[in-house]
Amino acid sequence: MKRIAILGATGSIGTQALEVARERPDFVKIEVLTAACNADLLISQALEFLPKTVVITDESKYPLVKKALAATSIEVLTGSEALNEVVKSTSIDMVLTALVGFAGLRPTVAAIEAGKDIALANKETLVVAGEHIMALAKQHHVKIIPVDSEHSAIFQCLAGESLDSVEKIYLTASGGPFRGRNKDFLAHITKKEALKHPNWVMGQKITIDSASLMNKGLEVIEAKWLFNLSIEQIEVVVHPQSIVHSLVQFKDGSLKAQLGLPDMKLPIQYALSYPGRLVNSFRRFRFIDYPQLSFEQPDLETFANLRLAYSAIKEGGNMPCVLNAANEIAVAAFLNEEIGFLEMSVIIEETMQAIPFILSPSLSDYVSMDEEARRVAKELVTKRKKVYQIEK
Ligand code: NAD
Ligand code: MG
């Protein structure tokens, strides 16, 4: 039996993790559920799974949640700081980090310091502070098990292997809804078009990141830290069917891949059950449905975000943190229809140029860097917004 805290229970990963818990109540016990502002869903999840504690970080929703759960013994907390506290509870074995963006960093640090294993969905934590997080996990003898499908694939391929025998890894990318399109096309796409992912149903932020290939850039950085690789050892290959979830190439030239239907329940369940595997009733892959699997090069010229992510991690230091913060602001502005699709890359690049380089940031440096990069990116959005509105 694993006792789990789910940070971001009402999102795409969070709700799928609860489907896993529903499927295997003999194996998964939900101890903590948290959400930013979706009080109604959090309440219904709490009434179904009866955790010890729930957190609604939006303080204005606290009275609603408190009242709805008054007849139960569930403790109700509010505010972002509460996330850093609940992860320390002695009744938890593992924390699933399924919240979005930089907000995942501090609760993940708190959970590691409390000795909790991490099922890591929140890739931004490793993008921002991967070196710091991996060292902290080692120090506290904590396992960080990837939930991201590509990283789960690599992790599964490495079972029984030594990291020393890896030559390189291939991260597969679906290519998103705009694969094969050029910049002229991307200049005019709408929010609605960008939110239509061909293979996966996910939260809004990662869906936009997938359309811009920033998601793959973030995943390259995530993989570097998780598997202790150099950037030269990580290659992205576009695979539109999303069946081969990623591959490892070993020193003898042998390739191992992990395959499956595009369904996040599988990597979520593996992260919870690792090193074991659990029987489930999820849909199975059939070769007849996929007579062809294809592979192509990513287009770094059209999808500048992937190129920017590579250059951020090559520079190192605070640059991935700056890239991440600027991207969060740019994606939010695109979703608010304040800027166009291509402007996102411009804002990220200009923010990276504007922020001074720091080689070895501390955890508090990351927090201030994140704030500073957001401020710069917001200013750039405001300038661009005017141009965009006139052009529209
Ligand atoms: P989502 O937007 O669907 O859900 C996010 C959850 O986190 C919600 O419960 C929300 O209430 C909570 N949350 C959001 N911002 C918060 C904040 N500032 N403070 C506290 N709680 C907050 O997102 P998602 O698609 O489930 O993605 C979650 C994470 O998993 C992201 O880092 C994403 O990159 C990663 N991931 C997602 C998928 C997927 O299929 N959705 C796949 C791989 C990796
Ligand atoms: Mg992924």
Side-chain angles (χ1 to χ4, degrees):
M1 191 71 144
K2 276 251 170 86
R3 300 166 305 167
I4 313 280
I6 304 182
L7 308 185
T10 55
S12 162
I13 293 288
T15 52
Q16 293 182 83
L18 289 175
E19 281 182 53
V20 170
R22 221 171 257 133
E23 170 98 8
R24 294 301 304 253
D26 55 320
F27 184 80
V28 181
K29 167 84 178 80
I30 302 297
E31 287 288 326
V32 173
L33 294 172
T34 85
C37 52
N38 189 344
D40 292 340
L41 183 54
L42 182 67
I43 291 164
S44 75
Q45 291 176 340
L47 292 172
E48 179 183 352
F49 290 95
L50 300 173
K52 196 162 143 270
T53 309
V54 300
V55 181
I56 181 91
T57 51
D58 179 345
E59 294 178 17
S60 71
K61 301 284 172 65
Y62 173 75
L64 184 64
V65 179
K66 180 80 185 154
K67 190 166 166 231
L69 301 180
T72 71
S73 58
I74 302 169
E75 177 188 28
V76 182
L77 303 174
T78 189
S80 310
E81 281 303 313
L83 296 181
N84 308 337
E85 290 306 315
V86 283
V87 294
K88 298 178 189 163
S89 164
T90 48
S91 64
I92 299 169
D93 303 309
M94 183 173 232
V95 176
L96 170 62
T97 64
L99 28 66
V100 195
F102 185 87
L105 178 65
R106 278 187 281 192
T108 307
V109 169
I112 295 172
E113 285 175 344
K116 309 298 178 189
D117 286 337
I118 307 290
L120 185 124
N122 179 259
K123 65 190 87 187
E124 294 91 342
T125 289
L126 287 188
V127 171
V128 169
E131 194 169 10
H132 187 95
I133 292 288
M134 297 310 288
L136 199 65
K138 199 170 172 192
Q139 184 191 336
H140 291 273
H141 309 287
V142 156
K143 290 199 259 315
I144 299 201
I145 310 198
V147 168
D148 216 345
S149 57
E150 297 77 2
H151 305 72
S152 175
I154 302 290
F155 190 72
Q156 294 183 53
C157 292
L158 287 174
E161 305 280 358
S162 136
L163 271 178
D164 293 341
S165 51
V166 176
E167 190 167 82
K168 67 189 287 189
I169 65 169
Y170 289 95
L171 292 181
T172 53
S174 71
F178 309 129
R179 181 176 59 88
R181 301 296 192 174
N182 61 21
K183 278 197 173 165
D184 289 342
F185 183 89
L186 292 187
H188 304 290
I189 61 102
T190 62
K191 165 182 162 180
K192 202 171 150 205
E193 288 164 327
L195 283 173
K196 252 192 235 142
H197 195 280
N199 303 338
W200 301 93
V201 179
M202 309 177 284
Q204 289 205 336
K205 195 248 174 191
I206 183 173
T207 305
I208 299 302
D209 284 346
S210 299
S212 71
L213 291 201
M214 179 55 95
N215 184 50
K216 212 48 55 180
L218 301 180
E219 291 185 355
V220 167
I221 303 174
E222 180 185 13
K224 174 186 165 48
W225 297 121
L226 268 175
F227 305 114
N228 192 23
L229 299 169
S230 71
I231 281 304
E232 291 70 31
Q233 286 175 293
I234 308 172
E235 190 169 329
V236 171
V237 59
V238 174
H239 165 48
Q241 297 81 14
S242 299
I243 294 298
V244 178
H245 294 310
S246 279
L247 311 89
V248 177
Q249 181 171 307
F250 294 93
K251 282 181 173 164
D252 58 0
S254 178
L255 283 165
K256 262 194 194 175
Q258 187 262 341
L259 287 74
L261 289 172
D263 178 353
M264 286 307 296
K265 291 199 296 301
L266 194 52
I268 294 169
Q269 180 181 288
Y270 186 71
L272 303 185
S273 70
Y274 171 82
R277 288 188 184 268
L278 297 178
V279 176
N280 63 38
S281 64
F282 307 156
R283 214 157 61 82
R284 286 345 190 208
F285 172 81
R286 298 190 323 162
F287 279 96
I288 200 81
D289 297 332
Y290 294 88
Q292 281 186 330
L293 298 179
S294 58
F295 302 90
E296 54 194 72
Q297 290 285 338
D299 174 358
L300 297 191
E301 171 55 33
T302 306
F303 296 92
N305 280 359
L306 180 54
R307 178 176 54 75
L308 291 173
Y310 266 108
S311 74
I313 189 66
K314 274 185 191 151
E315 267 190 75
N318 58 338
M319 278 302 131
C321 172
V322 172
L323 170 100
N324 178 70
N327 181 56
E328 287 191 33
I329 296 299
V331 170
F334 175 74
L335 286 170
N336 278 335
E337 298 178 315
E338 293 170 341
I339 57 169
F341 191 80
L342 291 175
E343 265 83 52
M344 289 194 287
S345 308
V346 179
I347 282 162
I348 297 162
E349 189 157 23
E350 289 182 4
T351 307
M352 285 168 68
Q353 284 160 359
I355 301 279
F357 180 71
I358 301 182
L359 182 61
S360 303
S362 66
L363 200 55
S364 62
D365 285 336
Y366 285 123
V367 175
S368 52
M369 277 298 122
D370 174 74
E371 279 169 10
E372 179 61 6
R374 277 166 201 271
R375 192 189 59 71
V376 171
K378 275 184 189 158
E379 274 176 22
L380 293 166
V381 166
T382 309
K383 278 190 207 152
R384 291 256 148 202
K385 195 161 89 181
K386 289 185 193 134
V387 179
Y388 180 67
Q389 299 302 349
I390 294 163
E391 282 170 0
K392 248 188 19 179

